[in-house]
């Protein structure tokens, strides 16, 4: 019962963390303009590298948040309704935006249009870097009955330990294992298999199942969590910089530690600042509801504007392009999707009003 009540109560910390991560994603892809065109010998690279690397926990954080939200209640899941919702709210917008990006690349002569190419982009999620997240999260959704059955029967300690093992062995090393088993077969999808992110999903599911208890635990350990975050963050950023453009297998384990501690820290941070705030403002609810749309679409602004500044404006200064693109990506994404929310909300309100009036007229007759 406690978890069902928690489900009905607003969770401002989840919405604020979701918005924060969405805005970090935009920065990651804006910073790639500098990261991709400079080297560690350049001042611009060194200035951007730290916040860029710092932000790389966001996809694991999105997966964690998805697990939290889906397991906030013991209520039996209506799988028909669940999968219908995933199709309409997750998969269809993804298919639309992949198509839009594909047409953009065709119009800018990156390649010629082909149905095989489009279907490959939909299936593989590699047309633009950020689409892989959708491929991964959909795998978790497809296996939802497994998570509901297994995680409610296994203690968090056992479940998390097993997920760490799977994430390390069958996540980051999946290609090597398959090569040993099938040396003549090249497996091209290891980077978008859910096993790499299983730890974050399982942790999110367990947090959702024990939400209030977990909040109390982390709020009572703010200093320890902060120290772990700072230590792992320094270690990850320092080692990533020192080994940049080098293949270092153990960096993946370091990054897992950082991503886990960063998720824990920011979840604690937003629980702390939202501790006395039980309701979301209308603005925050609106922005939170558009985070997925912002995630899917923001790279279009970056790609188009970077191409325009290079080819039409002849802006060769990468720092100027970075600031122009960053400002445009944030403002463009925010303004467009908030206007979309206003239009959509207004249309729904008008439709409901008309429907109510017509029903009233019909009953009166």
């Amino acid at each position: 019962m406690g978890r069902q009540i928690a489900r009905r109560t607003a969770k401002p910390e989840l919405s604020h963390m979701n918005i924060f991560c969405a805005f970090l994603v935009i920065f990651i892809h804006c910073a790639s303009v500098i990261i991709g065109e400079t080297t560690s010998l350049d001042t611009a690279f060194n200035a951007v590298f730290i916040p860029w690397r710092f932000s790389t926990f966001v996809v694991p954080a999105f997966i964690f948040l998805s697990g939290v939200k889906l397991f906030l209640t013991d209520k039996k899941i209506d799988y028909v309704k669940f999968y219908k919702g995933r199709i309409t709210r997750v998969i269809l917008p993804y298919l639309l935006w992949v198509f839009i990006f594909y047409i953009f690349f065709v119009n800018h002569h990156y390649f010629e249009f082909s149905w095989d190419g489009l279907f490959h982009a939909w299936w593989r999620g590699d047309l633009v870097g950020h689409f892989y997240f959708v491929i991964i999260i959909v795998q978790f959704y497809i296996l939802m009955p497994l998570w509901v059955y297994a995680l409610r029967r296994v203690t968090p300690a056992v479940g998390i330990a097993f997920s760490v093992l799977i994430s390390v062995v069958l996540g980051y090393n999946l290609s090597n294992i398959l090569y040993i088993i099938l040396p003549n077969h090249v497996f091209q999808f290891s980077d978008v298999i859910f096993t790499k992110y299983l730890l974050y999903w399982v942790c999110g599911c367990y947090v959702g199942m024990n939400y209030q208890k977990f909040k109390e635990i982390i709020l009572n350990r703010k200093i320890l969590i902060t120290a772990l975050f700072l230590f792992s963050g320094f270690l990850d950023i320092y080692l990533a910089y020192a080994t940049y453009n080098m293949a270092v297998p153990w960096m993946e384990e370091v990054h897992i530690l950082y991503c886990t501690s960063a998720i824990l820290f920011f979840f604690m941070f937003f629980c702390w600042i939202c501790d006395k705030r039980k309701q979301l403002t209308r603005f925050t609810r609106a922005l939170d509801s558009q985070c997925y749309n912002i995630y899917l679409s923001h790279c279009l602004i970056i790609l188009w504007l970077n191409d325009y500044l290079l080819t039409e404006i002849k802006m060769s200064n990468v720092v100027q392009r970075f600031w122009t693109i960053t400002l445009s990506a944030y403002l463009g994404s925010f303004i467009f999707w908030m206007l979309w929310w206003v239009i959509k909300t207004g249309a729904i309100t008008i439709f409901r009003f008309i429907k109510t009036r017509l029903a009233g007229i019909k009953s009166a007759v």
Side-chain angles (χ1 to χ4, degrees), residues 101-168:
F101 275 87
Y102 192 85
I103 296 302
F104 167 83
F105 287 125
V106 170
N107 288 338
H108 284 73
H109 309 292
Y110 284 82
F111 45 72
E112 294 184 355
F113 180 89
S114 74
W115 286 107
D116 286 343
L118 178 58
F119 279 106
H120 175 87
W122 276 331
W123 175 255
R124 185 67 171 78
D126 61 352
L127 183 63
V128 182
H130 66 303
F131 283 139
Y132 78 96
F133 162 73
V134 183
I135 302 299
I136 292 168
I137 200 66
V138 166
Q139 294 172 63
F140 285 116
Y141 293 152
I142 290 172
L143 296 173
M144 191 64 183
L146 172 64
W147 313 126
V148 172
Y149 178 83
L151 296 181
R152 296 198 188 284
R153 289 167 172 79
V154 177
T155 63
V158 173
I160 293 172
F162 181 75
S163 69
V164 170
L165 179 65
I166 295 297
S167 294
V168 173

Side-chain angles (χ1 to χ4, degrees), residues 15-193:
S15 295
H16 284 87
M17 185 170 174
N18 191 45
I19 293 169
F20 175 69
C21 289
F23 276 68
L24 284 184
V25 165
I26 296 176
F27 173 78
I28 289 173
H29 295 119
C30 291
S32 295
V33 174
I34 287 181
I35 297 294
E37 296 184 28
T38 58
T39 69
S40 58
L41 299 177
D42 298 304
T43 303
F45 179 95
N46 293 316
V48 167
F49 184 85
I50 291 176
W52 173 75
R53 183 69 182 184
F54 159 83
S55 304
T56 54
F57 71 92
V58 292
V59 167
F62 282 135
I63 293 171
F64 168 83
L65 290 172
S66 295
V68 173
K69 294 172 185 177
L70 288 174
F71 277 79
L72 278 171
T73 178
D74 284 329
K75 186 178 179 181
K76 187 176 180 180
I77 295 176
D78 181 344
Y79 285 108
V80 173
K81 184 178 180 181
F82 173 80
Y83 287 118
K84 182 180 178 181
R86 300 313 109 179
I87 291 171
T88 56
R89 294 195 295 270
V90 177
I91 296 177
L92 290 181
Y94 163 76
L95 295 177
L96 173 62
W97 279 102
V98 170
F99 177 76
I100 292 172
F101 275 87
Y102 192 85
I103 296 302
F104 167 83
F105 287 125
V106 170
N107 288 338
H108 284 73
H109 309 292
Y110 284 82
F111 45 72
E112 294 184 355
F113 180 89
S114 74
W115 286 107
D116 286 343
L118 178 58
F119 279 106
H120 175 87
W122 276 331
W123 175 255
R124 185 67 171 78
D126 61 352
L127 183 63
V128 182
H130 66 303
F131 283 139
Y132 78 96
F133 162 73
V134 183
I135 302 299
I136 292 168
I137 200 66
V138 166
Q139 294 172 63
F140 285 116
Y141 293 152
I142 290 172
L143 296 173
M144 191 64 183
L146 172 64
W147 313 126
V148 172
Y149 178 83
L151 296 181
R152 296 198 188 284
R153 289 167 172 79
V154 177
T155 63
V158 173
I160 293 172
F162 181 75
S163 69
V164 170
L165 179 65
I166 295 297
S167 294
V168 173
V169 176
L170 294 181
Y172 293 95
N173 298 301
L174 182 59
S175 294
N176 296 330
I177 293 173
L178 290 174
Y179 180 77
I180 294 172
I181 299 172
L182 301 169
N184 297 323
H185 178 75
V186 179
F187 186 69
Q188 300 177 351
F189 299 93
S190 60
D191 58 328
V192 289
I193 297 297

Side-chain angles (χ1 to χ4, degrees), residues 18 72 78 86 88 95 172 223 230 265 274 290 301 315 339:
N18 191 45
L72 278 171
D78 181 344
R86 300 313 109 179
T88 56
L95 295 177
Y172 293 95
I223 295 177
L230 293 175
F265 171 79
C274 297
Q290 298 306 311
I301 299 174
M315 186 183 291
L339 284 175

Side-chain angles (χ1 to χ4, degrees), residues 103-305:
I103 296 302
F104 167 83
F105 287 125
V106 170
N107 288 338
H108 284 73
H109 309 292
Y110 284 82
F111 45 72
E112 294 184 355
F113 180 89
S114 74
W115 286 107
D116 286 343
L118 178 58
F119 279 106
H120 175 87
W122 276 331
W123 175 255
R124 185 67 171 78
D126 61 352
L127 183 63
V128 182
H130 66 303
F131 283 139
Y132 78 96
F133 162 73
V134 183
I135 302 299
I136 292 168
I137 200 66
V138 166
Q139 294 172 63
F140 285 116
Y141 293 152
I142 290 172
L143 296 173
M144 191 64 183
L146 172 64
W147 313 126
V148 172
Y149 178 83
L151 296 181
R152 296 198 188 284
R153 289 167 172 79
V154 177
T155 63
V158 173
I160 293 172
F162 181 75
S163 69
V164 170
L165 179 65
I166 295 297
S167 294
V168 173
V169 176
L170 294 181
Y172 293 95
N173 298 301
L174 182 59
S175 294
N176 296 330
I177 293 173
L178 290 174
Y179 180 77
I180 294 172
I181 299 172
L182 301 169
N184 297 323
H185 178 75
V186 179
F187 186 69
Q188 300 177 351
F189 299 93
S190 60
D191 58 328
V192 289
I193 297 297
F194 74 93
T195 52
K196 186 176 180 179
Y197 298 88
L198 184 61
L199 170 63
Y200 313 113
W201 174 262
V202 169
C203 287
C205 295
Y206 279 125
V207 169
M209 285 188 280
N210 305 276
Y211 194 78
Q212 294 302 327
K213 182 179 180 180
F214 185 76
K215 277 184 64 175
E216 292 175 5
I217 291 173
I218 61 171
L219 288 174
N220 289 328
R221 290 167 173 79
K222 291 191 287 290
I223 295 177
L224 177 62
I225 292 171
T226 302
L228 177 62
F229 167 66
L230 293 175
F231 169 76
S232 63
F234 172 81
L235 186 67
D236 182 72
I237 293 171
Y238 173 77
L239 293 176
Y241 184 82
T243 60
Y244 191 72
N245 284 332
M246 296 171 57
V248 183
W250 46 261
M251 266 306 301
E252 299 293 355
E253 284 71 29
V254 174
H255 196 56
I256 289 175
L257 174 64
Y258 168 64
C259 288
T260 304
S261 65
I263 292 169
L264 191 62
F265 171 79
F266 283 107
F267 183 70
M268 177 272 293
F269 175 76
F270 286 110
C271 285
W272 176 56
I273 65 172
C274 297
D275 191 40
K276 304 300 182 182
R277 185 177 302 170
K278 303 303 180 183
Q279 297 295 329
L280 287 169
T281 64
R282 189 174 179 84
F283 172 82
T284 304
R285 286 200 306 270
L287 189 55
D288 183 34
S289 70
Q290 298 306 311
C291 280
Y292 183 58
N293 289 328
I294 291 172
Y295 181 90
L296 291 176
S297 63
H298 72 277
C299 280
L300 189 62
I301 299 174
I302 298 171
L303 289 169
W304 174 82
L305 188 55

Side-chain angles (χ1 to χ4, degrees), residues 292-358:
Y292 183 58
N293 289 328
I294 291 172
Y295 181 90
L296 291 176
S297 63
H298 72 277
C299 280
L300 189 62
I301 299 174
I302 298 171
L303 289 169
W304 174 82
L305 188 55
N306 190 51
D307 185 75
Y308 177 80
L309 292 175
L310 279 171
T311 58
E312 302 296 330
I313 307 299
K314 309 298 181 184
M315 186 183 291
S316 59
N317 187 306
V318 69
V319 175
Q320 289 182 355
R321 270 189 290 121
F322 164 73
W323 285 113
T324 304
I325 290 169
T326 300
L327 183 62
S328 301
Y330 276 107
L331 288 178
S333 299
F334 171 78
I335 293 173
F336 178 85
W337 288 111
M338 291 304 287
L339 284 175
W340 167 256
W341 178 85
V342 170
I343 294 169
K344 180 181 176 181
T345 304
I348 292 173
T349 302
I350 293 171
F351 175 77
R352 288 175 177 171
F353 174 77
I354 294 173
K355 185 178 180 180
T356 302
R357 291 300 298 270
L358 291 175

